[in-house]
Amino acid sequence: MKYIIGLYVVMAMMVCVTLISGYLLNGEYWAIASWLITGLFFFGTLFYINARYILSKKKGES
């Protein structure tokens, strides 16, 4: 369950970065925001890979 919460937090952070970049900063720092979103995507991918590994390991034990 903690992996799903982690993925949700990463996804919410991606949306927040997009909204802050677009509305509060008027798109002036779009390149930095793009790099942040890319980093968050890779971080979320690590959550996904870890969850698949843990869940497949638990399924094999039972």
Side-chain angles (χ1 to χ4, degrees):
M1 186 68 178
K2 64 182 175 181
Y3 303 108
I4 294 173
I5 293 171
L7 284 170
Y8 181 76
V9 169
V10 169
M11 190 171 56
M13 289 172 64
M14 290 172 72
V15 170
C16 288
V17 167
T18 303
L19 291 175
I20 289 171
S21 173
Y23 291 107
L24 295 180
L25 302 176
N26 295 326
E28 291 183 26
Y29 299 100
W30 64 270
I32 295 171
S34 296
W35 279 107
L36 283 173
I37 291 171
T38 303
L40 288 169
F41 174 78
F42 286 126
F43 191 63
T45 302
L46 290 175
F47 266 110
Y48 177 74
I49 291 170
N50 194 21
R52 284 198 57 178
Y53 175 75
I54 296 296
L55 292 176
S56 68
K57 193 174 181 180
K58 285 183 181 178
K59 190 175 182 180
E61 289 177 359
S62 44

